[in-house]
Amino acid sequence: MTGKMNKILVSECLYGGRIVRYDGGMKEETHPEFLKWKGEGRLVPICPEVFGGLPTPRPDAQRSGDRIVNRAGQDVTEEFTKGAEEALRLAREEDVAFCIMKQSSPSCGSREIYDGTFTDTVISGQGLAVEMLRDAGFKVFAEEDMEEAIDWLAQIEGD
Ligand code: SF4
């Protein structure tokens, strides 16, 4: 590696260490390269929903058009928007090279999300934080795309 160490924004539930998921569970990523990056201090964790002011655990929420509504029927668009803006602010502040975000989440999903009907139906789409990050020009991978993320970093660093 030459030059500066490129940082990577990651979903905090993948990073681990703090319980942030709606169900109080964990989804720590165990790919050896992810753990190596973590040890190098490259990873910048953020949970948009917690930064948006939502508690853990919390009712699960889904995108429904331009709104985000939780299972209890409450509109949580404002909290999700605040959290997405915080993710973008942090990505810029830390000058991250790219992002690795948890698939299917209404905040962090990058290829698919639930359809807003709470019937376990997945559709093509992206979470609100990922949408804002991409609109601002950040590249986003899902945790299931680790090999692509590894290749991308190698390209950036000229390995
Ligand atoms: Fe993980 Fe993102 Fe959901 Fe937070 S909002 S628990 S970081 S998937």
Side-chain angles (χ1 to χ4, degrees):
M1 184 176 71
T2 54
K4 73 163 191 172
M5 182 174 71
N6 289 287
K7 292 196 171 180
I8 305 164
L9 191 80
V10 298
S11 291
E12 193 163 347
C13 57
L14 299 175
Y15 186 86
R18 183 163 78 124
I19 305 268
V20 291
R21 270 176 61 84
Y22 72 94
D23 60 0
M26 297 276 261
K27 288 284 177 185
E28 279 183 270
E29 178 58 45
T30 57
H31 192 293
E33 198 69 11
F34 188 93
L35 297 178
K36 187 179 124 223
W37 292 341
K38 188 174 176 179
E40 290 170 348
R42 285 183 189 271
L43 303 185
V44 179
I46 180 158
C47 175
E49 293 171 25
V50 168
F51 269 86
L54 293 168
T56 305
R58 54 189 171 275
D60 58 328
Q62 299 187 359
R63 288 197 81 162
S64 178
D66 286 341
R67 313 301 299 170
I68 306 209
V69 177
N70 71 17
R71 189 178 285 271
Q74 296 160 324
D75 188 319
V76 284
T77 310
E78 196 178 319
E79 290 87 345
F80 271 65
T81 303
K82 188 168 166 238
E85 287 168 351
E86 180 66 13
L88 178 56
R89 189 197 61 74
L90 191 62
R92 285 178 166 148
E93 183 179 289
E94 295 282 345
D95 192 24
V96 302
F98 60 92
C99 317
I100 301 177
M101 308 299 276
K102 178 80 188 70
Q103 192 62 282
S104 309
S105 149
S107 291
C108 298
S110 54
R111 191 163 41 233
E112 62 183 39
I113 52 172
Y114 290 94
D115 72 347
T117 63
F118 295 94
T119 56
D120 278 338
T121 308
V122 169
I123 55 171
S124 294
Q126 56 189 355
L128 197 59
V130 168
E131 185 178 313
M132 275 196 202
L133 287 162
R134 281 182 169 152
D135 283 352
F138 288 99
K139 192 164 184 65
V140 180
F141 297 96
E143 76 285 6
E144 57 203 25
D145 303 325
M146 268 302 293
E147 299 308 319
E148 284 173 51
I150 292 166
D151 287 349
W152 186 255
L153 185 63
Q155 271 184 45
I156 292 172
E157 297 192 338
D159 290 350

